[in-house]
Amino acid sequence: MLEGGLLMKKNSKEAIVEAAITLFNSKGYAGTSIRDIARHAKVNSATISYYFDNKAGLLEYCFIHFFERYTQKIEAAYTSIEKGARTCLKQLVADLLQFQCENSQLASFVYREMAVHSQVSREIMATYSIKEKYYLQKIFERGFEWDEFRPHSIPYLITQLKALLMMPFMNTFYMREVLYIFPHEKFFAQKYLKDIFAWIDHTLCSDIPMKKGKLIK
Amino acid sequence: MLEGGLLMKKNSKEAIVEAAITLFNSKGYAGTSIRDIARHAKVNSATISYYFDNKAGLLEYCFIHFFERYTQKIEAAYTSIEKGARTCLKQLVADLLQFQCENSQLASFVYREMAVHSQVSREIMATYSIKEKYYLQKIFERGFEWDEFRPHSIPYLITQLKALLMMPFMNTFYMREVLYIFPHEKFFAQKYLKDIFAWIDHTLCSDIPMKKGKLIK
Amino acid sequence: MLEGGLLMKKNSKEAIVEAAITLFNSKGYAGTSIRDIARHAKVNSATISYYFDNKAGLLEYCFIHFFERYTQKIEAAYTSIEKGARTCLKQLVADLLQFQCENSQLASFVYREMAVHSQVSREIMATYSIKEKYYLQKIFERGFEWDEFRPHSIPYLITQLKALLMMPFMNTFYMREVLYIFPHEKFFAQKYLKDIFAWIDHTLCSDIPMKKGKLIK
Amino acid sequence: MLEGGLLMKKNSKEAIVEAAITLFNSKGYAGTSIRDIARHAKVNSATISYYFDNKAGLLEYCFIHFFERYTQKIEAAYTSIEKGARTCLKQLVADLLQFQCENSQLASFVYREMAVHSQVSREIMATYSIKEKYYLQKIFERGFEWDEFRPHSIPYLITQLKALLMMPFMNTFYMREVLYIFPHEKFFAQKYLKDIFAWIDHTLCSDIPMKKGKLIK
DNA sequence: CATGAATGAGTTTTCATTCAT
DNA sequence: GATGAATGAAAACTCATTCAT
């Protein structure tokens, strides 16, 4: 994801973040040592303290680096709300899924570590999760209002939607080794997106009893 | 869950496992120290090595303790396959959900740590996940055969089903603090079960429009 | 050495001593754990404390078990002193060499550990080494007196004699891997004994050139 | 030997090695704790890991530090081979004896620990002991060829020569307390050297009586 | 006679961090 | 901007020993 592209020597800070994402993902935050990251990034371990103050600072940077862009996707997608709740939700899901695919390692460890660092999480949630919930709520409410979605408890709907969205990134090892699904591959996003759309169309909208058929775009 | 109830001195081994589950869940495996566990279990930290050899041994014990019973639930539920795939799957989902609720902390950390300990995971998967996949596959195939389920890629269906099943336990902090859903509470299982049934009935079975086939590409 | 021969079940104490000798020899006293010994002897580690009080007690037992018999050999050989100093010394060397071969592991580790456990060594020396020195001194003095041995500093002669006697057992690994000499093999004692006799005959006695002095630079 | 003399603060690495040599010698490798060494060297115990990775690394460093210089002495002495095998061998013995005296503690514990650490020993031997054997063999073969030495099995000759050379350093406690010989003292080397020369002259060369047989009983 | 459970003290090692350069 | 040296604290683990049985 941090492609580094051009030939110029990548700077230390980027190298550190890149190494941190890889290692935090594969060994967990607490299981990764500063020196491990330094070794991977080919910098001295003091350099990490230099840029991020301490290990927690590096984690926080990763969290923010992730959620800042994550939230932007949501906000951007929400602008299409006037096209209808279902369309808007599909747009949002499509964008988030793609974002996760492009940052699969980061997404993977961020989702996992969120559960463990209650202090950091609390702050993150106060800014990002609340925002996410706010927009999803808006969309759902609009969907109920305009009879697009079958009425239902919003928290439970969010749970299901996020479950479907996050699952493939929460245990990529299982996905790979047992199901032979590779979330970073080209076609995964396309195929899986249809499945989430199916949930939207059939379970969320439950359109059939709505009177008119032929739903899926 | 391991209530310990009575006043008699609980044996050390159980006390250790109990403490480990609590702490591994709240601080992660790598973030929990042996001494922390010992302190909580009110035993000397050498006692942990005595029973489980080392920290990894304790983790493995927890994994097996979880998956052994998890797999039993699946096998038990599968016996009702002759009542039809949908009924059987619902039975299985209900049993697993209840099992998770009864062991929510254990489930929570096991699912998370699975992603990090590839070596242990590999062995666990070789025995338990493969078995789980086998039974789910059987049920889905039966469902397709008898036209109960809309035909679809089995790995992708497993992904969704497991997503819905596991999600509430993978980030209980988020569930609690943002959505105000408490997975260990009485009513949660009942309510959430309906949602998974809805997915089965509407997205998996998509039952009404059975005549006009091929909705999903 | 502790042959155990007959079919009757070897008792625990013997099994412990046997295991201790093997392990102390290959890993050193400090490098061997009580539980290691217990595992090898197929007894519970508490049994060792039961018989020998503690680890040091087991070591001391080994030391005494060795030196008691070692000293007996010396005393026995010394009885032939009236046959002449050279003959007596040869007898003594032959007996000690054979004794060492029969107890090569025990000899090996006892010699090594003597250097490390100054407290125990001090006591051992006060009883056994002093006795050994006493007899050797007697033999050398008799040899000088009767013009069998070329006069020389007794401590330096003891040094050389003990050097030749102990060397093959002090680093059996080197003997085996570099020189391809196996001190526990049948023919070793025979061959090596001749070499020590050569030292006695030529260097200690230096018999032939008795008239023309000052050979040594 | 590492005198440290001047008042300037000795660097940590040297201080550690110095302390390690002293303590490994007096208490054995396994009997010495990292913290003991650190205390003696007046550094933090983590500093040892910093420089030598771990305790085994420190041991290995000592081994190499010893054998590197030991081997150099041999190679240097070997250059005098054209002056005759006996002269060359005496040179070699004199140099090694002096080297050992100057590094008596190091020599002492290295010889002892070699017997215990088979893995490290194997590697050391593959480089140093083999080299030593090679040169000794060359000298002996030359000695046989030119009729300087009485023909004999080379491994057995090496055994005796090394026995005489190493003995005073293998159990200095015994040397001191029983024989009252102090290998690090000025005169020891001079006096003991004569004894080894006597072995070379009389037992190895057995020069005078070349014509008339019946030497060895 | 012998042991399983449990421990306290000690071990090595790892780690994040600091600081002079 | 970046680092090598060094460290204090804490981690996991090992060990000899005890004690009730």
Side-chain angles (χ1 to χ4, degrees), chain C residues 133-160:
Chain C
K133 189 190 176 186
Y134 169 80
Y135 285 113
L136 288 176
Q137 200 154 359
K138 283 275 210 185
I139 295 172
F140 283 129
E141 279 164 357
R142 175 65 79 96
F144 300 151
E145 213 178 307
W146 290 4
D147 286 330
E148 286 184 273
F149 300 159
R150 185 159 35 116
H152 195 63
S153 151
I154 286 176
Y156 277 71
L157 288 177
I158 292 177
T159 303
Q160 293 166 68

mmCIF file of all heavy atoms in Angstrom, chain C residues 133-160:
data_model
loop_
_atom_site.group_PDB
_atom_site.id
_atom_site.type_symbol
_atom_site.label_atom_id
_atom_site.label_comp_id
_atom_site.label_asym_id
_atom_site.label_seq_id
_atom_site.Cartn_x
_atom_site.Cartn_y
_atom_site.Cartn_z
ATOM 1 N N LYS C 133 49.355 -38.464 47.821
ATOM 2 C CA LYS C 133 50.662 -37.800 47.790
ATOM 3 C C LYS C 133 51.639 -38.517 48.721
ATOM 4 O O LYS C 133 52.805 -38.719 48.386
ATOM 5 C CB LYS C 133 50.519 -36.346 48.214
ATOM 6 C CG LYS C 133 51.787 -35.530 48.010
ATOM 7 C CD LYS C 133 51.676 -34.164 48.660
ATOM 8 C CE LYS C 133 52.970 -33.390 48.555
ATOM 9 N NZ LYS C 133 52.918 -32.132 49.308
ATOM 10 N N TYR C 134 51.136 -38.899 49.859
ATOM 11 C CA TYR C 134 51.972 -39.572 50.854
ATOM 12 C C TYR C 134 52.609 -40.834 50.285
ATOM 13 O O TYR C 134 53.807 -41.047 50.369
ATOM 14 C CB TYR C 134 51.109 -39.895 52.080
ATOM 15 C CG TYR C 134 51.767 -40.820 53.067
ATOM 16 C CD1 TYR C 134 52.705 -40.338 53.989
ATOM 17 C CD2 TYR C 134 51.476 -42.180 53.063
ATOM 18 C CE1 TYR C 134 53.308 -41.200 54.889
ATOM 19 C CE2 TYR C 134 52.078 -43.044 53.969
ATOM 20 C CZ TYR C 134 52.991 -42.547 54.877
ATOM 21 O OH TYR C 134 53.591 -43.394 55.771
ATOM 22 N N TYR C 135 51.778 -41.649 49.622
ATOM 23 C CA TYR C 135 52.305 -42.897 49.090
ATOM 24 C C TYR C 135 53.259 -42.660 47.925
ATOM 25 O O TYR C 135 54.306 -43.293 47.815
ATOM 26 C CB TYR C 135 51.164 -43.830 48.672
ATOM 27 C CG TYR C 135 50.483 -44.463 49.853
ATOM 28 C CD1 TYR C 135 49.179 -44.157 50.191
ATOM 29 C CD2 TYR C 135 51.176 -45.379 50.650
ATOM 30 C CE1 TYR C 135 48.559 -44.734 51.287
ATOM 31 C CE2 TYR C 135 50.565 -45.966 51.754
ATOM 32 C CZ TYR C 135 49.258 -45.636 52.068
ATOM 33 O OH TYR C 135 48.655 -46.215 53.166
ATOM 34 N N LEU C 136 52.869 -41.749 47.056
ATOM 35 C CA LEU C 136 53.763 -41.465 45.917
ATOM 36 C C LEU C 136 55.110 -40.961 46.428
ATOM 37 O O LEU C 136 56.172 -41.355 45.943
ATOM 38 C CB LEU C 136 53.112 -40.423 44.989
ATOM 39 C CG LEU C 136 51.928 -40.921 44.165
ATOM 40 C CD1 LEU C 136 51.296 -39.790 43.363
ATOM 41 C CD2 LEU C 136 52.369 -42.036 43.208
ATOM 42 N N GLN C 137 55.032 -40.086 47.389
ATOM 43 C CA GLN C 137 56.245 -39.529 47.985
ATOM 44 C C GLN C 137 57.140 -40.648 48.527
ATOM 45 O O GLN C 137 58.340 -40.693 48.253
ATOM 46 C CB GLN C 137 55.821 -38.611 49.139
ATOM 47 C CG GLN C 137 56.876 -37.623 49.545
ATOM 48 C CD GLN C 137 56.239 -36.381 50.189
ATOM 49 O OE1 GLN C 137 55.019 -36.293 50.300
ATOM 50 N NE2 GLN C 137 57.070 -35.423 50.573
ATOM 51 N N LYS C 138 56.508 -41.555 49.250
ATOM 52 C CA LYS C 138 57.219 -42.711 49.798
ATOM 53 C C LYS C 138 57.946 -43.468 48.681
ATOM 54 O O LYS C 138 59.132 -43.815 48.787
ATOM 55 C CB LYS C 138 56.229 -43.673 50.465
ATOM 56 C CG LYS C 138 55.758 -43.230 51.831
ATOM 57 C CD LYS C 138 56.747 -43.663 52.894
ATOM 58 C CE LYS C 138 56.023 -43.912 54.225
ATOM 59 N NZ LYS C 138 56.995 -44.223 55.289
ATOM 60 N N ILE C 139 57.191 -43.733 47.611
ATOM 61 C CA ILE C 139 57.768 -44.502 46.505
ATOM 62 C C ILE C 139 58.928 -43.745 45.878
ATOM 63 O O ILE C 139 60.006 -44.299 45.637
ATOM 64 C CB ILE C 139 56.695 -44.820 45.446
ATOM 65 C CG1 ILE C 139 55.636 -45.741 46.045
ATOM 66 C CG2 ILE C 139 57.319 -45.465 44.220
ATOM 67 C CD1 ILE C 139 54.420 -45.960 45.151
ATOM 68 N N PHE C 140 58.719 -42.467 45.630
ATOM 69 C CA PHE C 140 59.789 -41.682 45.004
ATOM 70 C C PHE C 140 61.017 -41.629 45.914
ATOM 71 O O PHE C 140 62.152 -41.838 45.465
ATOM 72 C CB PHE C 140 59.313 -40.258 44.690
ATOM 73 C CG PHE C 140 58.437 -40.201 43.466
ATOM 74 C CD1 PHE C 140 57.195 -39.568 43.507
ATOM 75 C CD2 PHE C 140 58.842 -40.786 42.272
ATOM 76 C CE1 PHE C 140 56.390 -39.524 42.383
ATOM 77 C CE2 PHE C 140 58.037 -40.737 41.136
ATOM 78 C CZ PHE C 140 56.807 -40.110 41.192
ATOM 79 N N GLU C 141 60.761 -41.380 47.173
ATOM 80 C CA GLU C 141 61.899 -41.298 48.102
ATOM 81 C C GLU C 141 62.678 -42.604 48.119
ATOM 82 O O GLU C 141 63.910 -42.615 48.094
ATOM 83 C CB GLU C 141 61.396 -40.949 49.505
ATOM 84 C CG GLU C 141 61.134 -39.457 49.658
ATOM 85 C CD GLU C 141 60.291 -39.132 50.885
ATOM 86 O OE1 GLU C 141 59.862 -40.076 51.577
ATOM 87 O OE2 GLU C 141 60.036 -37.934 51.135
ATOM 88 N N ARG C 142 61.943 -43.699 48.161
ATOM 89 C CA ARG C 142 62.586 -45.007 48.115
ATOM 90 C C ARG C 142 63.375 -45.164 46.801
ATOM 91 O O ARG C 142 64.499 -45.674 46.790
ATOM 92 C CB ARG C 142 61.514 -46.098 48.215
ATOM 93 C CG ARG C 142 62.053 -47.509 48.062
ATOM 94 C CD ARG C 142 62.992 -47.854 49.217
ATOM 95 N NE ARG C 142 62.255 -48.196 50.399
ATOM 96 C CZ ARG C 142 61.967 -49.467 50.758
ATOM 97 N NH1 ARG C 142 62.411 -50.475 50.046
ATOM 98 N NH2 ARG C 142 61.267 -49.707 51.846
ATOM 99 N N GLY C 143 62.768 -44.702 45.711
ATOM 100 C CA GLY C 143 63.457 -44.769 44.412
ATOM 101 C C GLY C 143 64.746 -43.970 44.399
ATOM 102 O O GLY C 143 65.772 -44.403 43.851
ATOM 103 N N PHE C 144 64.723 -42.811 45.001
ATOM 104 C CA PHE C 144 65.940 -41.984 45.059
ATOM 105 C C PHE C 144 66.993 -42.682 45.913
ATOM 106 O O PHE C 144 68.154 -42.813 45.522
ATOM 107 C CB PHE C 144 65.651 -40.613 45.671
ATOM 108 C CG PHE C 144 64.636 -39.807 44.911
ATOM 109 C CD1 PHE C 144 63.824 -38.873 45.567
ATOM 110 C CD2 PHE C 144 64.480 -39.962 43.524
ATOM 111 C CE1 PHE C 144 62.897 -38.130 44.881
ATOM 112 C CE2 PHE C 144 63.544 -39.208 42.821
ATOM 113 C CZ PHE C 144 62.749 -38.297 43.504
ATOM 114 N N GLU C 145 66.511 -43.139 47.045
ATOM 115 C CA GLU C 145 67.384 -43.744 48.031
ATOM 116 C C GLU C 145 68.177 -44.910 47.437
ATOM 117 O O GLU C 145 69.384 -45.044 47.639
ATOM 118 C CB GLU C 145 66.493 -44.260 49.174
ATOM 119 C CG GLU C 145 67.108 -44.208 50.540
ATOM 120 C CD GLU C 145 66.085 -44.698 51.563
ATOM 121 O OE1 GLU C 145 64.942 -44.143 51.565
ATOM 122 O OE2 GLU C 145 66.396 -45.628 52.316
ATOM 123 N N TRP C 146 67.441 -45.738 46.712
ATOM 124 C CA TRP C 146 68.065 -46.938 46.159
ATOM 125 C C TRP C 146 68.608 -46.730 44.739
ATOM 126 O O TRP C 146 68.834 -47.674 43.998
ATOM 127 C CB TRP C 146 67.074 -48.099 46.144
ATOM 128 C CG TRP C 146 66.757 -48.609 47.512
ATOM 129 C CD1 TRP C 146 67.195 -48.099 48.695
ATOM 130 C CD2 TRP C 146 65.936 -49.721 47.831
ATOM 131 N NE1 TRP C 146 66.711 -48.807 49.741
ATOM 132 C CE2 TRP C 146 65.913 -49.826 49.248
ATOM 133 C CE3 TRP C 146 65.197 -50.648 47.078
ATOM 134 C CZ2 TRP C 146 65.205 -50.816 49.908
ATOM 135 C CZ3 TRP C 146 64.508 -51.623 47.741
ATOM 136 C CH2 TRP C 146 64.496 -51.705 49.156
ATOM 137 N N ASP C 147 68.739 -45.472 44.345
ATOM 138 C CA ASP C 147 69.260 -45.123 43.017
ATOM 139 C C ASP C 147 68.464 -45.720 41.855
ATOM 140 O O ASP C 147 69.000 -45.995 40.800
ATOM 141 C CB ASP C 147 70.734 -45.559 42.896
ATOM 142 C CG ASP C 147 71.641 -44.643 43.694
ATOM 143 O OD1 ASP C 147 71.294 -43.452 43.841
ATOM 144 O OD2 ASP C 147 72.664 -45.125 44.178
ATOM 145 N N GLU C 148 67.170 -45.927 42.114
ATOM 146 C CA GLU C 148 66.340 -46.398 40.998
ATOM 147 C C GLU C 148 65.895 -45.224 40.137
ATOM 148 O O GLU C 148 65.776 -45.332 38.930
ATOM 149 C CB GLU C 148 65.120 -47.124 41.534
ATOM 150 C CG GLU C 148 65.399 -48.493 42.100
ATOM 151 C CD GLU C 148 64.104 -49.172 42.504
ATOM 152 O OE1 GLU C 148 63.653 -48.958 43.654
ATOM 153 O OE2 GLU C 148 63.539 -49.894 41.668
ATOM 154 N N PHE C 149 65.595 -44.116 40.798
ATOM 155 C CA PHE C 149 65.091 -42.935 40.095
ATOM 156 C C PHE C 149 66.141 -41.842 40.127
ATOM 157 O O PHE C 149 66.847 -41.671 41.138
ATOM 158 C CB PHE C 149 63.830 -42.378 40.775
ATOM 159 C CG PHE C 149 62.687 -43.350 40.836
ATOM 160 C CD1 PHE C 149 61.675 -43.168 41.778
ATOM 161 C CD2 PHE C 149 62.607 -44.432 39.965
ATOM 162 C CE1 PHE C 149 60.604 -44.034 41.845
ATOM 163 C CE2 PHE C 149 61.529 -45.311 40.036
ATOM 164 C CZ PHE C 149 60.529 -45.117 40.977
ATOM 165 N N ARG C 150 66.194 -41.103 39.067
ATOM 166 C CA ARG C 150 67.040 -39.928 39.032
ATOM 167 C C ARG C 150 66.444 -38.901 40.012
ATOM 168 O O ARG C 150 65.247 -38.614 39.955
ATOM 169 C CB ARG C 150 67.025 -39.333 37.633
ATOM 170 C CG ARG C 150 67.967 -38.172 37.437
ATOM 171 C CD ARG C 150 68.239 -38.023 35.951
ATOM 172 N NE ARG C 150 67.023 -38.371 35.203
ATOM 173 C CZ ARG C 150 66.347 -37.501 34.448
ATOM 174 N NH1 ARG C 150 66.760 -36.264 34.317
ATOM 175 N NH2 ARG C 150 65.274 -37.892 33.806
ATOM 176 N N PRO C 151 67.238 -38.351 40.885
ATOM 177 C CA PRO C 151 66.697 -37.412 41.880
ATOM 178 C C PRO C 151 66.018 -36.214 41.208
ATOM 179 O O PRO C 151 66.522 -35.693 40.214
ATOM 180 C CB PRO C 151 67.930 -36.953 42.659
ATOM 181 C CG PRO C 151 69.009 -37.897 42.320
ATOM 182 C CD PRO C 151 68.699 -38.485 40.984
ATOM 183 N N HIS C 152 64.902 -35.853 41.754
ATOM 184 C CA HIS C 152 64.160 -34.720 41.176
ATOM 185 C C HIS C 152 63.103 -34.249 42.163
ATOM 186 O O HIS C 152 62.753 -34.968 43.095
ATOM 187 C CB HIS C 152 63.511 -35.155 39.864
ATOM 188 C CG HIS C 152 63.052 -33.999 39.028
ATOM 189 N ND1 HIS C 152 63.931 -33.072 38.517
ATOM 190 C CD2 HIS C 152 61.826 -33.634 38.602
ATOM 191 C CE1 HIS C 152 63.244 -32.179 37.821
ATOM 192 N NE2 HIS C 152 61.966 -32.500 37.860
ATOM 193 N N SER C 153 62.602 -33.069 41.914
ATOM 194 C CA SER C 153 61.547 -32.519 42.774
ATOM 195 C C SER C 153 60.319 -33.427 42.753
ATOM 196 O O SER C 153 59.730 -33.687 41.694
ATOM 197 C CB SER C 153 61.153 -31.127 42.271
ATOM 198 O OG SER C 153 59.811 -30.854 42.569
ATOM 199 N N ILE C 154 59.917 -33.877 43.920
ATOM 200 C CA ILE C 154 58.782 -34.799 43.979
ATOM 201 C C ILE C 154 57.479 -34.176 43.457
ATOM 202 O O ILE C 154 56.779 -34.786 42.656
ATOM 203 C CB ILE C 154 58.616 -35.377 45.399
ATOM 204 C CG1 ILE C 154 59.730 -36.411 45.632
ATOM 205 C CG2 ILE C 154 57.260 -36.034 45.585
ATOM 206 C CD1 ILE C 154 59.763 -36.998 47.020
ATOM 207 N N PRO C 155 57.144 -32.966 43.869
ATOM 208 C CA PRO C 155 55.908 -32.389 43.327
ATOM 209 C C PRO C 155 55.892 -32.331 41.796
ATOM 210 O O PRO C 155 54.857 -32.586 41.179
ATOM 211 C CB PRO C 155 55.893 -30.974 43.916
ATOM 212 C CG PRO C 155 56.671 -31.099 45.168
ATOM 213 C CD PRO C 155 57.744 -32.115 44.889
ATOM 214 N N TYR C 156 57.021 -32.042 41.200
ATOM 215 C CA TYR C 156 57.061 -31.983 39.740
ATOM 216 C C TYR C 156 56.929 -33.371 39.127
ATOM 217 O O TYR C 156 56.329 -33.541 38.067
ATOM 218 C CB TYR C 156 58.345 -31.286 39.267
ATOM 219 C CG TYR C 156 58.232 -29.776 39.291
ATOM 220 C CD1 TYR C 156 58.191 -29.083 40.498
ATOM 221 C CD2 TYR C 156 58.115 -29.043 38.114
ATOM 222 C CE1 TYR C 156 58.057 -27.704 40.531
ATOM 223 C CE2 TYR C 156 57.978 -27.664 38.139
ATOM 224 C CZ TYR C 156 57.946 -26.991 39.346
ATOM 225 O OH TYR C 156 57.800 -25.630 39.365
ATOM 226 N N LEU C 157 57.459 -34.340 39.813
ATOM 227 C CA LEU C 157 57.285 -35.705 39.315
ATOM 228 C C LEU C 157 55.835 -36.156 39.433
ATOM 229 O O LEU C 157 55.276 -36.769 38.529
ATOM 230 C CB LEU C 157 58.200 -36.664 40.098
ATOM 231 C CG LEU C 157 59.690 -36.532 39.785
ATOM 232 C CD1 LEU C 157 60.505 -37.474 40.658
ATOM 233 C CD2 LEU C 157 59.977 -36.807 38.306
ATOM 234 N N ILE C 158 55.226 -35.810 40.555
ATOM 235 C CA ILE C 158 53.812 -36.158 40.722
ATOM 236 C C ILE C 158 52.979 -35.493 39.631
ATOM 237 O O ILE C 158 52.088 -36.108 39.044
ATOM 238 C CB ILE C 158 53.311 -35.750 42.129
ATOM 239 C CG1 ILE C 158 53.988 -36.618 43.197
ATOM 240 C CG2 ILE C 158 51.794 -35.875 42.226
ATOM 241 C CD1 ILE C 158 53.617 -36.267 44.632
ATOM 242 N N THR C 159 53.301 -34.249 39.387
ATOM 243 C CA THR C 159 52.588 -33.529 38.327
ATOM 244 C C THR C 159 52.628 -34.300 37.015
ATOM 245 O O THR C 159 51.596 -34.521 36.364
ATOM 246 C CB THR C 159 53.205 -32.132 38.109
ATOM 247 O OG1 THR C 159 53.170 -31.410 39.338
ATOM 248 C CG2 THR C 159 52.460 -31.369 37.030
ATOM 249 N N GLN C 160 53.842 -34.706 36.633
ATOM 250 C CA GLN C 160 53.963 -35.414 35.363
ATOM 251 C C GLN C 160 53.247 -36.756 35.379
ATOM 252 O O GLN C 160 52.542 -37.117 34.431
ATOM 253 C CB GLN C 160 55.440 -35.623 35.018
ATOM 254 C CG GLN C 160 56.163 -34.322 34.720
ATOM 255 C CD GLN C 160 57.666 -34.506 34.724
ATOM 256 O OE1 GLN C 160 58.206 -35.171 33.845
ATOM 257 N NE2 GLN C 160 58.340 -33.940 35.711
#
